[in-house]
Structures are given as C-alpha cells and as structure tokens.
Amino acid sequence: MAFVTASISVSVDGFVAGKNQAADRPLGEAPAIELHRWLFETPEENRPEIEAHTDAGAYIMGRNMFGPIRGEWDLSWTGWWGDEPPYHKPVFVLTHHPREDQSMAGGTTFHFVTGGIHDAFDRAREATGDGRIMIAGGASTVNQYLAAGLIDQLTLNVVPVMLGAGERLFDGIPPLKLEQIGSRAASLVTHITYRVG
C-alpha cells in the first residue's frame, strides 16, 4: 500500500497562501511570499525537509498549485517551474477542465485529472505502487485528502509570519488525531511532522 504524505508551508495563523493570488503573486499579497523564504534562502539548513519533499514516487496537486489560470486552459501555461520542474516523477493535477498530458524536461509529466481526488489517488498509487505519494498542495487539496482520511503523515513548515486571510489549512476538516513524531527548528521555519490517525 502506498504511503501518503503532505508537506506544506503555513503561517502561524494557519494560512498557506494570502489574498489575491495572481501570475505575478503566486502566493498572494505580501507578506505571503515569506512562506517560502526558507526554501530559497536557506536550502542547506533545510536539506532533510527538501529531500523528503522531492523523493516521492508520485505527486498530487490542485489546479491553483499548478498555475493561476481559471476556466478553460491557456495551453501556453506549463506551470510555475519553467522547463524542468523539480518533481521528476508523475504529477496528477486536479482540475474540472480536461487537458492532454504534459511532459517536461527531467522526467516530470503532468497528468490532468477531472475525476476528483479518488481518481487522482488511484492513478498516483498505480504509478508508484507501494512507494510514496506526496500531496503537494495547496490548502484545498490537502484539506480534501485529510477529510477523506487518505494522508498518513503531515509535515507543517511553520513560518513566523501572520497573513490574516487567504487560503487556510484545516478549513472544513473534522477533528483529526495527530501524533507528533518529529520537530526541528531552523532560522526561518519550524518543521513539525505528525502521524495522522
């Protein structure tokens, strides 16, 4: 059986993105960009968490995580990451609008799934076998998988910033049994890992 994880940066008031996301502000209005400073400014300090995020056998993400387009696809948009995304594995993108698979340099292929979270999960499990599936975000996608009981382990990368509004983690989620199994403080973030009961 595949092991399903999620790792997501979150503000101390529970948001994973701010208000008014757009192509030029993928995380929303300032100070939301602070949520990912630890990834880009102190990668060596956070190498174990970065490696844990990038060694999955397959990924699932929401359409907002893939790009800012709403409605029908703009086929010129190929994701936030340029020609070689960091995944190097199959990525299943939840969407209501069909689109052909998109193969990128480095082994990443984006598959656009219109059948919902269980369809994406089944396809990711088929791709990885008994390997690890990473629910890559954003908040709505992680929340849906938590509510469905399909996440085994959750890592919160807690950043000391308050956003006040935006995309909130745990919205609409029934009470969860979380067992803390690890924590580590770094200069820009604290990583807390839970086993999800």
Side-chain angles (χ1 to χ4, degrees):
M1 189 67 175
F3 186 69
V4 184
T5 65
S7 176
I8 194 161
S9 293
V10 60
S11 67
V12 292
D13 56 346
F15 295 97
V16 303
K19 296 185 296 184
N20 300 318
Q21 293 170 272
D24 61 341
R25 329 180 275 281
L27 290 174
E29 296 173 356
I33 194 66
E34 300 283 321
L35 291 173
H36 289 174
R37 276 184 60 209
W38 66 274
L39 280 166
F40 302 109
E41 295 182 21
T42 58
E44 288 306 316
E45 185 182 355
N46 297 283
R47 183 63 50 201
E49 290 77 20
I50 293 171
E51 289 177 354
H53 190 83
T54 57
D55 74 353
Y59 297 84
I60 298 172
M61 68 175 57
R63 182 171 175 169
N64 291 359
M65 178 89 175
F66 179 77
I69 297 103
R70 304 296 180 263
E72 294 298 326
W73 286 105
D74 171 357
L75 297 181
S76 67
W77 180 265
T78 58
W80 300 107
W81 306 277
D83 293 333
E84 188 171 348
Y87 301 103
H88 310 294
K89 298 283 174 38
V91 180
F92 299 90
V93 180
L94 296 165
T95 178
H96 296 294
H97 298 273
R99 180 174 176 171
E100 292 296 316
D101 292 351
Q102 177 181 301
S103 296
M104 306 290 287
T108 300
T109 299
F110 292 105
H111 304 274
F112 300 91
V113 181
T114 58
I117 66 167
H118 294 284
D119 185 23
F121 181 80
D122 289 344
R123 292 180 62 182
R125 186 172 52 193
E126 182 178 343
T128 193
D130 289 334
R132 192 162 66 88
I133 298 170
M134 169 69 75
I135 309 300
S140 174
T141 299
V142 173
N143 288 343
Q144 289 179 69
Y145 279 96
L146 284 171
L150 293 174
I151 293 180
D152 300 303
Q153 182 174 295
L154 173 66
T155 297
L156 302 182
N157 307 298
V158 182
V159 178
V161 64
M162 295 183 70
L163 301 185
E167 299 292 323
R168 186 186 289 277
L169 195 62
F170 302 124
D171 258 1
I173 302 302
L176 297 172
K177 181 180 178 184
L178 300 176
E179 177 189 353
Q180 186 171 317
I181 58 174
S183 65
R184 192 175 74 82
S187 59
L188 298 176
V189 62
T190 299
H191 308 284
I192 308 172
T193 300
Y194 300 96
R195 182 179 295 116
V196 183

